[in-house]
Amino acid sequence: MDKNCEFGYRAWLQPGKSLVVPDYTFSGDDGFALKELKRGLAKMNENGHGVIDLSVTSDLVPQSYTITGSLEDVVIKGGCEAGLLYGVYGFVARLHQGHTDFNVVEKPVAAKRILNHWDNITGKIERGYSGNSLFFKDGKVGYNLKRLEDYARLLASVGINEISINNVNVTTESAKLITDYLPDVVKIADVFRPFGIRLIISVHFESPAILGGLETSDPLDAEVASWWKKVAAHVYKAIPDLAGFLVKADSEFRAGPMTLGRTQAEGANVIAAALAPFGATVYWRCFVYNCMQDWRDTATDRPKAAYDYFYPLDGQFDDNVIIQIKHGPSDFQVREPNSPLLGNMDKTRQGIEFQVTQEYTGQQKDLYALAVQWEEIFDHPVTDKANTRELIGNKIEAVVAVANVGDDTNWTGHLLAQANLYAYGRMAWNPNLTAEEVTREWAMLTFGADPAVINPIVDMVLKSRSVYEKYNAPLGIGWMVNINHHYGPSVDGYEYMKWGTYHRADTTAIGVDRTTAGTGYTSQYHPHVQAMYENKETCPEEILLYFHRLPYDYKLKSGQTLIQYIYDTHFEGVEGVEGFIKTWESLKGLLPEEAYTPVKARLQLQLTNAIEWRDVINSYFYRKTGSLDAKGRKIYT
Ligand code: GCU
């Protein structure tokens, strides 16, 4: 590797060359965790003597750990091998943050902390913005063993414990991961296993027909059921600890049970029955909607779809099915309400799906702190008594996200996008952590402990979500992007298309009325949440246009009209990016050149993008409304 790139490659696992620790002797468990501990301490300076005792104990619940004692005498205990490993990473991370006394008790809130890779067997990554796949190359399984190990370490260090390796859009070729390519998947599983990470394979719903040569993949067909059983037995003989299969069915031109006149539950259950003897899980995605809508049809409202299909099936899914629900009812937009399915199906196991890859959120060209958005998503009420955060680890037992990595040397393209991967692991482990806490941790582990460096970086990262939102589509309306690559402004890009995502802006108003007087979407929520969204006064303003159709002269709480708000925020968004550039320039000389220069280049690119957004959005609305900017700034006509 080019020496200049090592900093980005190491991400938040920097060697800690300026840290001083005792010259340790080790006692107790001498397995993989000890190896990782020695590795974590290897480059630190030694002074004096100390002891670290490592052990696995049944006194602690699996995956949990404790760290106690002082720098000279440390005891790390894990509830299982993986728990001990987390304890070791947790100890090293705390050294980097200057801790010298330890009284740590940690237990993950969500038992399953999952990353989904949307990697194609061609080596390309769907919605990937940092190079090619770490698992596949040129139509085959292909990887760099050292790199995979280093990746596994990064993930384990933030507590990820399951990963799917292939795209949910399974092709005829990638369907063969459970047959022809299985021996290669075994090798990948072997790399991740010591790090406490189990694999998931995305499977094709029509596998019985495609791979098995059956006439149908109908889940109620006996031959189909026995085909899945046979294949599962074959797969689990090779990888006994495979976590399960992930399925995208009846979604975006992919076949599924509904295509065959069956329900989502019937579709999931036939696979679940095959996996049950192995204690494995079917992750069944709920991203089911009509992607062939006529834009003239105002009765159909896409956000309602997942709930309409899945809610009536509560109680019908087998015990080893987890339905995987995108956090919002649209599709990973900058601002969405939470899916009304979340926490609302009492008899169905649930997972919440996030997107770490920045599809609609700047594609790792623009800086965007997802942690800030996740914090809000966790805050989102489910009832009058509970918010989403409180359901993680209870009704919502899996936290899932689409990965943002590829084979770019620094993993994520934009160096600062590493913060999103770090934050995801940490917040899946503990959703009570704030965006600020995880961002600060990440910054210290990556850039060292100097507050003069850390504070400006943390500040800038935390602001980035709001800045991006300002120059994007206004007030939760979403979607005003190029229809293919989803980057850059195209206000009407989706407007006259089949995808069901319309802002319906005309010369007087914008938005879709999703209240009970409109499409009725709000009625899918608990009455408490429904009431909040139903009323313009109580609907959180930043998401007003998701729920209400409003005239451009509608007065916001600030006193601004809607049109003036659009103009103001778009100017402010550009100013925000200019501010980031200034902040970053103030760090020149304090950061490694290999971090400073590429991030600076991305921020410059972001400025160009923000200006493009500002001018396209402002001109669009000026042309619709004829309203001049009250502050007389330049709007292109
Ligand atoms: C988005 C994304 C697709 C992806 C889909 C999904 O629509 O643009 O690339 O396949 O989500 O989540 O399945």
Side-chain angles (χ1 to χ4, degrees):
M1 189 198 315
D2 177 355
K3 264 219 146 314
N4 283 329
C5 296
E6 283 177 15
F7 178 81
Y9 186 83
R10 290 190 300 254
W12 55 82
L13 296 178
Q14 300 293 334
K17 284 187 185 142
S18 60
L19 296 174
V20 183
V21 293
D23 177 9
Y24 283 117
T25 48
F26 304 94
S27 69
D29 191 291
D30 65 352
F32 189 73
L34 176 61
K35 223 173 104 201
E36 287 297 288
L37 176 58
K38 287 184 175 165
R39 198 193 155 87
L41 298 172
K43 299 262 164 58
M44 297 179 188
N45 298 301
E46 289 165 354
N47 185 18
H49 293 282
V51 188
I52 303 181
D53 181 30
L54 301 180
S55 62
V56 172
T57 164
S58 56
D59 294 348
L60 295 174
V61 294
Q63 298 200 58
S64 68
Y65 69 86
T66 59
I67 310 171
T68 49
S70 63
L71 203 54
E72 289 73 33
D73 191 358
V74 187
V75 179
I76 307 177
K77 290 184 181 170
C80 63
E81 288 294 338
L84 184 60
L85 191 61
Y86 298 142
V88 160
Y89 294 130
F91 171 65
V92 173
R94 283 171 177 82
L95 291 179
H96 280 262
Q97 293 167 76
H99 297 207
T100 50
D101 283 299
F102 307 95
N103 189 11
V104 178
V105 181
E106 281 278 346
K107 173 172 160 290
V109 174
K112 289 169 173 286
R113 304 169 302 279
I114 307 174
L115 265 187
N116 287 169
H117 295 86
W118 283 358
D119 292 20
N120 293 322
I121 200 149
T122 57
K124 297 271 173 258
I125 303 177
E126 181 156 332
R127 311 304 176 190
Y129 310 107
S130 41
N132 291 323
S133 175
L134 298 168
F135 306 107
F136 307 109
K137 199 173 162 49
D138 303 333
K140 294 201 265 293
V141 176
Y143 52 84
N144 168 334
L145 185 63
K146 159 92 172 48
R147 184 132 205 197
L148 270 200
E149 270 177 27
D150 288 339
Y151 182 48
R153 175 173 299 109
L154 276 179
L155 297 188
S157 74
V158 290
I160 303 293
N161 66 351
E162 295 182 18
I163 59 167
S164 68
I165 55 171
N166 60 311
N167 193 354
V168 287
N169 292 319
V170 181
T171 60
T172 308
E173 196 57 25
S174 59
K176 295 182 194 156
L177 287 177
I178 52 173
T179 54
D180 306 28
Y181 294 116
L182 188 60
D184 297 313
V185 182
V186 169
K187 292 183 195 144
I188 299 179
D190 289 345
V191 176
F192 283 86
R193 186 172 297 110
F195 292 93
I197 299 171
R198 298 163 73 193
L199 299 197
I200 297 168
I201 302 175
S202 299
V203 298
H204 199 303
F205 182 75
E206 291 182 300
S207 292
I210 293 173
L211 303 175
L214 303 188
E215 272 174 19
T216 177
S217 296
D218 181 349
L220 298 193
D221 182 284
E223 270 188 77
V224 168
S226 71
W227 186 86
W228 280 113
K229 288 200 166 119
K230 196 178 76 203
V231 165
H234 173 68
V235 169
Y236 278 87
K237 187 152 184 255
I239 314 177
D241 61 351
L242 189 86
F245 291 167
L246 169 62
V247 193
K248 171 177 179 176
D250 284 314
S251 175
E252 299 185 327
F253 310 108
R254 315 204 62 72
M258 275 153 47
T259 326
L260 300 162
R262 309 299 184 196
T263 69
Q264 295 295 307
E266 287 165 336
N269 291 348
V270 68
I271 306 177
L275 297 193
F278 309 101
T281 305
V282 172
Y283 298 95
W284 187 265
R285 296 182 84 228
C286 300
F287 190 50
V288 180
Y289 69 97
N290 174 13
C291 63
M292 294 295 281
Q293 187 177 336
D294 184 334
W295 58 269
R296 285 154 288 217
D297 162 14
T298 52
T300 306
D301 188 20
R302 171 169 159 181
K304 293 168 76 175
Y307 185 95
D308 283 346
Y309 288 123
F310 282 86
Y311 188 74
L313 302 176
D314 193 16
Q316 294 182 30
F317 289 92
D318 282 359
D319 287 347
N320 61 328
V321 176
I322 291 183
I323 61 164
Q324 190 166 309
I325 307 164
K326 284 194 183 186
H327 64 79
S330 289
D331 187 10
F332 302 134
Q333 300 298 294
V334 177
R335 175 80 59 178
E336 290 186 41
N338 278 14
S339 167
L341 279 177
L342 285 168
N344 277 338
M345 287 170 73
D346 285 342
K347 295 181 278 258
T348 307
R349 295 173 69 193
Q350 299 198 341
I352 183 169
E353 184 181 302
F354 298 107
Q355 202 183 37
V356 191
T357 194
Q358 290 172 240
E359 179 177 358
Y360 293 95
T361 53
Q363 305 204 345
Q364 283 139 254
K365 296 185 179 83
D366 297 20
L367 183 63
Y368 186 98
L370 283 154
V372 174
Q373 186 173 0
W374 296 331
E375 202 177 285
E376 291 159 4
I377 291 167
F378 289 142
D379 280 340
H380 192 282
V382 179
T383 65
D384 51 342
K385 295 192 183 64
N387 65 20
T388 307
R389 177 179 295 106
E390 290 151 25
L391 300 186
I392 308 282
N394 301 307
K395 279 190 185 173
I396 303 170
E397 60 187 279
V399 179
V400 189
V402 185
N404 66 344
V405 297
D407 69 356
D408 274 4
T409 309
N410 70 6
W411 310 95
T412 54
H414 198 316
L415 180 76
L416 304 186
Q418 291 179 354
N420 287 330
L421 185 58
Y422 181 89
Y424 168 67
R426 295 289 290 128
M427 289 171 95
W429 177 279
N430 182 3
N432 298 305
L433 290 168
T434 64
E436 159 136 32
E437 284 168 326
V438 295
T439 304
R440 190 163 289 278
E441 278 178 20
W442 159 79
M444 288 181 86
L445 297 177
T446 307
F447 296 106
D450 181 1
V453 174
I454 298 311
N455 291 344
I457 294 178
V458 171
D459 184 59
M460 164 174 154
V461 171
L462 291 176
K463 279 186 182 140
S464 63
R465 193 291 183 101
S466 150
V467 165
Y468 185 86
E469 182 171 32
K470 281 183 171 176
Y471 60 79
N472 255 256
L475 295 174
I477 197 100
W479 296 110
M480 294 178 167
V481 287
N482 181 290
I483 194 157
N484 296 314
H485 52 68
H486 295 169
Y487 187 73
S490 175
V491 184
D492 285 337
Y494 271 88
E495 200 53 20
Y496 305 101
M497 301 297 286
K498 60 194 175 196
W499 298 96
T501 53
Y502 314 111
H503 56 69
R504 303 198 188 275
D506 63 19
T507 58
T508 57
I510 178 171
V512 172
D513 181 356
R514 297 201 158 99
T515 66
T516 38
T519 69
Y521 167 67
T522 52
S523 61
Q524 294 184 342
Y525 288 98
H526 181 277
H528 170 77
V529 183
Q530 178 186 359
M532 173 179 81
Y533 286 135
E534 190 79 5
N535 180 337
K536 287 196 276 287
E537 300 302 315
T538 54
C539 179
E541 215 158 53
E542 58 277 5
I543 202 163
L544 203 52
L545 290 178
Y546 198 97
F547 288 98
H548 298 277
R549 179 168 181 81
L550 296 172
Y552 295 107
D553 60 2
Y554 179 82
K555 276 262 167 60
L556 296 169
K557 296 204 172 89
S558 61
Q560 284 159 303
T561 57
L562 176 56
I563 186 70
Q564 190 56 38
Y565 174 89
I566 293 174
Y567 294 152
D568 284 350
T569 46
H570 285 78
F571 284 107
E572 285 161 19
V574 171
E575 286 155 20
V577 181
E578 287 165 348
F580 293 164
I581 293 174
K582 279 208 192 85
T583 302
W584 198 251
E585 283 173 344
S586 76
L587 295 170
K588 190 168 168 59
L590 299 175
L591 294 172
E593 193 55 31
E594 52 177 307
Y596 180 79
T597 306
V599 170
K600 171 88 191 295
R602 298 248 168 180
L603 291 172
Q604 291 292 358
L605 176 63
Q606 182 173 2
L607 181 60
T608 310
N609 300 334
I611 290 171
E612 179 77 3
W613 271 99
R614 178 194 68 193
D615 292 341
V616 171
I617 297 269
N618 284 352
S619 295
Y620 178 92
F621 286 105
Y622 173 70
R623 290 178 189 178
K624 282 269 174 216
T625 64
S627 287
L628 288 168
D629 171 40
K631 296 174 187 158
R633 290 162 295 191
K634 171 99 184 144
I635 291 180
Y636 293 82
T637 53

